[in-house]
């Protein structure tokens, strides 16, 4: 069982990751993250939703995304998402199946 200090450090590291992805590196596309690392901002928001569920807190996918992104998904797409090449889309299908399909 992690100590309270470990929990606080983990939470701080998560907040810093969130800041990095949502403020410092908005240029990095979710599809590129998924293709290279096997997770993306949407995965992080899903994990947020799953953690809420484990605590008995009902949270929809859209609510979790808005909490993580700090805006609606449509706002994020309009402001930051670019068109993905057919090659990236094909690689994404594989990465999604290998990483999210397991979940």
């Amino acid at each position: 069982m992690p100590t309270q200090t470990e929990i606080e450090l983990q939470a701080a590291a998560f907040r810093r990751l969130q800041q990095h992805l949502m403020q410092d590196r908005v240029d990095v596309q979710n599809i590129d993250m998924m293709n290279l690392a096997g997770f993306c901002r949407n995965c992080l928001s899903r994990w947020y939703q799953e953690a809420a569920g484990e605590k008995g807190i009902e949270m929809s996918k859209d609510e979790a995304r808005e909490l993580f992104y700090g805006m609606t998904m449509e706002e994020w797409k309009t402001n930051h998402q670019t068109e993905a090449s057919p090659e990236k889309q094909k690689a994404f299908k594989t990465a999604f199946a290998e990483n999210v399909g397991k979940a």
Side-chain angles (χ1 to χ4, degrees), residues 36-78:
L36 292 171
F39 78 99
C40 67
R41 292 171 185 90
N42 292 335
C43 296
L44 289 163
S45 68
R46 187 183 81 246
W47 299 337
Y48 197 103
Q49 178 189 19
E50 290 170 358
E54 289 171 8
K55 294 288 186 185
I57 301 167
E58 282 192 37
M59 182 181 296
S60 71
K61 177 170 70 173
D62 289 337
E63 289 171 326
R65 284 183 174 178
E66 193 164 340
L67 282 170
F68 185 82
Y69 280 80
M71 63 186 75
T72 66
M73 200 63 216
E74 287 310 310
E75 289 173 298
W76 175 265
K77 287 179 180 181
T78 298

Side-chain angles (χ1 to χ4, degrees), residues 8-98:
E8 291 170 9
L9 293 173
Q10 291 167 348
F14 175 82
R15 287 189 299 273
R16 183 60 186 94
L17 173 62
Q18 184 180 26
Q19 176 189 330
H20 183 74
L21 295 173
M22 303 313 299
Q23 296 172 20
D24 303 341
R25 292 304 310 267
V26 297
D27 60 310
V28 176
Q29 297 296 301
N30 278 340
I31 196 166
D32 294 325
M33 291 176 60
M34 180 60 79
N35 290 347
L36 292 171
F39 78 99
C40 67
R41 292 171 185 90
N42 292 335
C43 296
L44 289 163
S45 68
R46 187 183 81 246
W47 299 337
Y48 197 103
Q49 178 189 19
E50 290 170 358
E54 289 171 8
K55 294 288 186 185
I57 301 167
E58 282 192 37
M59 182 181 296
S60 71
K61 177 170 70 173
D62 289 337
E63 289 171 326
R65 284 183 174 178
E66 193 164 340
L67 282 170
F68 185 82
Y69 280 80
M71 63 186 75
T72 66
M73 200 63 216
E74 287 310 310
E75 289 173 298
W76 175 265
K77 287 179 180 181
T78 298
N79 293 324
H80 304 291
Q81 190 166 307
T82 61
E83 189 66 32
S85 70
E87 294 81 17
K88 286 183 181 183
Q89 291 177 24
K90 182 179 177 186
F92 174 80
K93 288 181 182 178
T94 300
F96 188 89
E98 289 175 352

